[in-house]
Amino acid sequence: MRIHVQNPAGTSAFSFTRAQWDAAVKRHPDMRDLEVTIDNSDDGWSAALPVADIVLTWVDIVGAKLRGCDLSHAAPRLKLLSCNSAGVDRLAPFDWLPRDIALLNNSGIHADKAGEFGLMALLMLHNNMPAHIRSQHAQRWAPMHATTLKGRTLVIVGLGAIGGGVARLAKMLGMTIVGVRNGSAPHEYCDEVVSVSDIHKTLVRAEDLVLACPLTKDTRNLLSRERIALLPRGARVINIGRGQLWDQDAVCDALDSGHLQYAFTDVAWSEPVEEGHRLWATPGLILTPHIAADDRDRYNDITLDILFENIRAHAAGRPLPNQIDPVRGY
Amino acid sequence: MRIHVQNPAGTSAFSFTRAQWDAAVKRHPDMRDLEVTIDNSDDGWSAALPVADIVLTWVDIVGAKLRGCDLSHAAPRLKLLSCNSAGVDRLAPFDWLPRDIALLNNSGIHADKAGEFGLMALLMLHNNMPAHIRSQHAQRWAPMHATTLKGRTLVIVGLGAIGGGVARLAKMLGMTIVGVRNGSAPHEYCDEVVSVSDIHKTLVRAEDLVLACPLTKDTRNLLSRERIALLPRGARVINIGRGQLWDQDAVCDALDSGHLQYAFTDVAWSEPVEEGHRLWATPGLILTPHIAADDRDRYNDITLDILFENIRAHAAGRPLPNQIDPVRGY
């Protein structure tokens, strides 16, 4: 089996290296017969694609190079097309994808890192850090006392790797966790799980709300202006999913009116956020540049671990853990 | 037994109320025979002191009203003098304290709240929040990726309630914890405990350092300029103890030179910190106004729980868990 890894042109902190590949094969000796090519040039791509059984690359490269081309001709042997991101929403709709090619995402990559980031955001909002950060900038000593997370009710929308990672840590600190997902199957770290169709009943008791679900046609504007109004006065909201999951302007309005106490977002409708946008300066809002989930030191190692598990499942004829369902969109 | 609770003059968010007292007695029915007075006036104090067996109050009130007066005459029945703070350093030296009066602190009050705050500070520094906060203020989208706490080495100086609270949570997240204390008795949440006399050997491997010990004549300037130089380049330091535990100027210098990556302090040499002080504006430093440890909602409840445990021990002739040793100073 031949696998081709296409890195972005130029240099990237997240480009795969031969050393990372070798270390991964050492961890997974059953993968040692894979023939690998790693490249970041157009020539390398053109040479590898016709003979590759597996491609691992970035979602933007798939969008630019594969969507809209005749894959049966350009990549006749391709069986597994793996993206190194958890979200593949930018490739939707998936009508360009032949049925005999499995599109894989990288779900699972973010559990530990995003879990810690989500916990940090919860702790920062509970400890009034948006106010303290402003006071520090104004050089004003203004004590405000807070309480612990213990016993507070946290609603987490999305119980995949990211939402599950947040749930695990928040549960450790003694929060009451209500999960929201498709269906209402129980979850190891949730005290309760409710179906997304009942989300309105859950929002009314959310002291803290975390959005951590994939962006699909069903989840776009999930936290609408009307649903923000359902949250109890003084609630805190955190978005570590996608900007389009919420009505960003309505969140800013709710902060300005005092309906929401604080908010934290790592994502925006349009990224990068341009200078002058109200997201930068709305009081009570912390904005970070889409860095919640990617683990600087371990990203590529975990990516290869996840991919190898899918290659193993493919060889054995088992369902692929990371295969995208083109209809659901994740 | 008569107990007098002296609140500060005026109003305070932390003043004890009769309702809090009644709720505490309900939790501890063996305390129901205590006769309590609660006041915030000079008249109330003057009436209560001659007949009180126990006084619960603020460290500043003890300093202003009791230090330097003849206690055998002014408070002839006083046996337990309880301060509602964990640190009583402002009352040192303790030569004013008669031997037959036990001075109690409120150690234990801060374990949960300060533990969460310490964990928040660790997560914020690991996730480059000092840089992201500056970027948000400058309206500049500047991604920087981070990694998890898991596997990193955290040195905690002081393993009382606050340091122990941080250790418990950081251990949950998979950090390797080295505790520093007087002696080197093992600690439930530390992988290793070293004596403060060997602190120099420990600092060289501290990726993160948390100061959480009491301020005494021995711990003043514990993290001196020379010891800061022992930390590995890029280390992160957090102070949730007292400002005088470290050389504050040397910390700012080490941030300016890049020797330290980031720092977080909730305390300062002199509080409130005046406008224009370099602590407000040193890049890489987050300063909060001494709010790490006090739990807004549960402070007085926990204080009474701790005091009652000491009253119980006193009645039974057992050692008092919160008694200050005038020589050690904590």
Side-chain angles (χ1 to χ4, degrees):
Chain A
M1 298 263 281
R2 286 169 189 267
I3 173 168
H4 178 66
V5 181
Q6 183 74 21
N7 285 319
T11 56
S12 155
F14 290 98
S15 288
F16 288 88
T17 65
R18 181 75 206 200
Q20 287 169 344
W21 177 268
D22 291 343
V25 171
K26 206 162 179 181
R27 287 195 301 281
H28 303 271
D30 59 325
M31 295 291 140
R32 66 176 166 260
D33 293 335
L34 285 173
E35 291 174 53
V36 66
T37 49
I38 303 177
D39 211 310
N40 69 343
S41 70
D42 284 342
D43 287 351
W45 174 260
S46 304
L49 196 61
V51 293
D53 302 284
I54 307 165
V55 165
L56 167 61
T57 192
W58 272 245
V59 78
D60 288 342
I61 295 176
V62 173
K65 291 186 183 284
L66 292 183
R67 187 165 51 175
C69 88
D70 176 3
L71 283 174
S72 63
H73 184 255
R77 298 174 49 165
L78 189 61
K79 289 285 169 286
L80 303 179
L81 173 57
S82 174
C83 294
N84 72 341
S85 57
V88 294
D89 47 277
R90 278 177 283 172
L91 300 177
F94 296 92
D95 49 6
W96 56 273
L97 185 70
R99 287 195 171 202
D100 60 345
I101 297 179
L103 179 66
L104 308 176
N105 73 0
N106 202 2
S107 177
I109 186 76
H110 299 309
D112 288 348
K113 177 68 185 66
E116 287 193 3
F117 197 91
L119 180 64
M120 178 192 77
L122 283 164
L123 288 167
M124 284 179 68
L125 300 192
H126 270 263
N127 280 288
N128 300 301
M129 285 308 298
H132 290 308
I133 289 165
R134 287 177 78 84
S135 294
Q136 180 175 359
H137 189 79
Q139 308 208 350
R140 189 178 58 228
W141 185 268
M144 292 177 69
H145 291 94
T147 185
T148 54
L149 295 185
K150 198 166 156 180
R152 305 277 152 176
T153 299
L154 167 64
V155 174
I156 302 177
V157 181
L159 295 175
I162 293 181
V166 176
R168 184 174 72 87
L169 298 180
K171 190 73 218 158
M172 274 186 190
L173 268 69
M175 297 192 88
T176 299
I177 319 275
V178 182
V180 177
R181 57 163 36 158
N182 284 329
S184 53
H187 184 275
E188 181 176 8
Y189 300 112
C190 291
D191 296 278
E192 193 182 332
V193 176
V194 303
S195 165
V196 69
S197 57
D198 289 328
I199 192 172
H200 53 287
K201 298 180 196 163
T202 307
L203 293 177
V204 299
R205 59 191 173 115
E207 297 179 88
D208 296 273
L209 175 68
V210 171
L211 300 183
C213 57
L215 178 65
T216 69
K217 61 183 176 355
D218 295 327
T219 62
R220 190 173 295 273
N221 200 33
L222 181 91
L223 191 66
S224 61
R225 188 173 290 272
E226 293 68 33
R227 283 176 171 165
I228 291 168
L230 294 178
L231 290 164
R233 189 176 174 80
R236 294 161 290 266
V237 296
I238 295 166
N239 192 347
I240 49 174
R242 284 287 185 267
Q244 293 85 352
L245 294 174
W246 68 12
D247 184 333
Q248 182 173 284
D249 269 322
V251 170
C252 292
D253 290 343
L255 287 163
D256 285 341
S257 76
H259 177 63
L260 293 178
Q261 185 188 22
Y262 299 123
F264 191 126
T265 188
D266 186 51
V267 290
W269 283 348
S270 170
E271 299 172 8
V273 177
E274 69 272 25
E275 206 181 325
H277 194 287
R278 71 189 292 204
L279 277 182
W280 291 116
T282 295
L285 178 62
I286 295 177
L287 168 64
T288 51
H290 206 130
I291 46 80
D294 294 344
D295 188 322
R296 185 192 62 209
D297 293 352
R298 298 165 64 221
Y299 198 94
N300 288 359
D301 298 339
I302 305 173
T303 297
L304 293 173
D305 290 345
I306 292 171
L307 175 59
F308 286 176
E309 186 51 37
N310 283 271
I311 293 174
R312 216 171 267 134
H314 181 258
R318 286 187 277 117
L320 309 184
N322 288 72
Q323 185 168 1
I324 297 299
D325 177 333
V327 176
R328 290 192 316 178
Y330 68 94
Chain B
M1 298 263 280
R2 286 169 188 267
I3 173 167
H4 178 66
V5 181
Q6 183 73 22
N7 284 320
T11 56
S12 155
F14 290 98
S15 288
F16 288 88
T17 65
R18 182 74 206 201
Q20 288 169 343
W21 176 269
D22 290 343
V25 171
K26 208 162 176 179
R27 288 195 301 281
H28 303 271
D30 58 326
M31 295 290 139
R32 68 176 166 262
D33 292 335
L34 284 173
E35 292 174 53
V36 69
T37 48
I38 302 177
D39 211 309
N40 69 343
S41 69
D42 284 343
D43 287 352
W45 173 261
S46 302
L49 195 62
V51 294
D53 302 285
I54 306 165
V55 164
L56 167 61
T57 190
W58 272 244
V59 79
D60 288 343
I61 294 176
V62 173
K65 291 186 183 285
L66 292 183
R67 186 164 52 174
C69 88
D70 176 2
L71 285 174
S72 63
H73 184 255
R77 298 174 49 166
L78 189 62
K79 289 284 169 288
L80 302 180
L81 173 56
S82 174
C83 294
N84 72 340
S85 56
V88 293
D89 47 278
R90 279 177 284 172
L91 299 177
F94 296 92
D95 48 5
W96 57 272
L97 184 72
R99 288 194 171 202
D100 60 346
I101 297 180
L103 178 66
L104 307 176
N105 72 0
N106 202 2
S107 177
I109 186 76
H110 299 309
D112 289 348
K113 177 69 184 64
E116 288 193 4
F117 196 91
L119 180 65
M120 177 191 78
L122 283 165
L123 288 166
M124 284 180 67
L125 300 193
H126 269 264
N127 281 288
N128 300 300
M129 286 309 297
H132 290 307
I133 289 165
R134 287 176 78 85
S135 294
Q136 180 175 0
H137 190 79
Q139 307 207 351
R140 190 178 57 228
W141 185 268
M144 292 177 68
H145 291 93
T147 185
T148 54
L149 295 185
K150 199 167 155 178
R152 305 276 151 177
T153 299
L154 167 63
V155 173
I156 302 177
V157 181
L159 295 176
I162 293 181
V166 176
R168 184 175 72 87
L169 298 180
K171 190 72 218 158
M172 275 187 190
L173 268 69
M175 298 192 86
T176 299
I177 320 276
V178 182
V180 176
R181 57 163 35 158
N182 283 329
S184 52
H187 184 276
E188 182 177 7
Y189 300 111
C190 292
D191 297 277
E192 193 182 333
V193 176
V194 302
S195 166
V196 69
S197 57
D198 289 327
I199 192 172
H200 54 288
K201 296 181 197 164
T202 306
L203 293 177
V204 299
R205 59 190 174 116
E207 297 179 88
D208 295 274
L209 175 68
V210 170
L211 300 183
C213 58
L215 178 65
T216 68
K217 61 183 174 0
D218 295 326
T219 63
R220 189 173 296 273
N221 200 33
L222 182 90
L223 191 66
S224 61
R225 188 174 289 271
E226 293 69 31
R227 283 177 171 164
I228 291 169
L230 294 178
L231 291 165
R233 189 175 174 81
R236 293 161 291 266
V237 297
I238 295 167
N239 191 347
I240 50 174
R242 283 287 185 268
Q244 293 85 351
L245 294 174
W246 68 13
D247 184 334
Q248 179 172 285
D249 269 322
V251 170
C252 292
D253 289 342
L255 287 163
D256 285 342
S257 76
H259 177 64
L260 293 178
Q261 185 189 21
Y262 299 124
F264 192 127
T265 188
D266 186 51
V267 289
W269 283 348
S270 170
E271 298 172 9
V273 177
E274 69 272 25
E275 206 181 325
H277 194 287
R278 71 188 293 202
L279 277 182
W280 291 117
T282 296
L285 177 62
I286 296 177
L287 168 64
T288 51
H290 206 130
I291 45 83
D294 294 344
D295 187 322
R296 184 192 64 209
D297 294 352
R298 298 166 64 221
Y299 198 95
N300 288 359
D301 297 340
I302 305 174
T303 297
L304 292 172
D305 290 346
I306 292 171
L307 175 59
F308 286 176
E309 187 50 39
N310 283 271
I311 293 173
R312 215 171 267 133
H314 181 257
R318 285 187 278 115
L320 310 184
N322 287 71
Q323 184 167 2
I324 297 299
D325 176 333
V327 176
R328 290 191 318 178
Y330 68 95

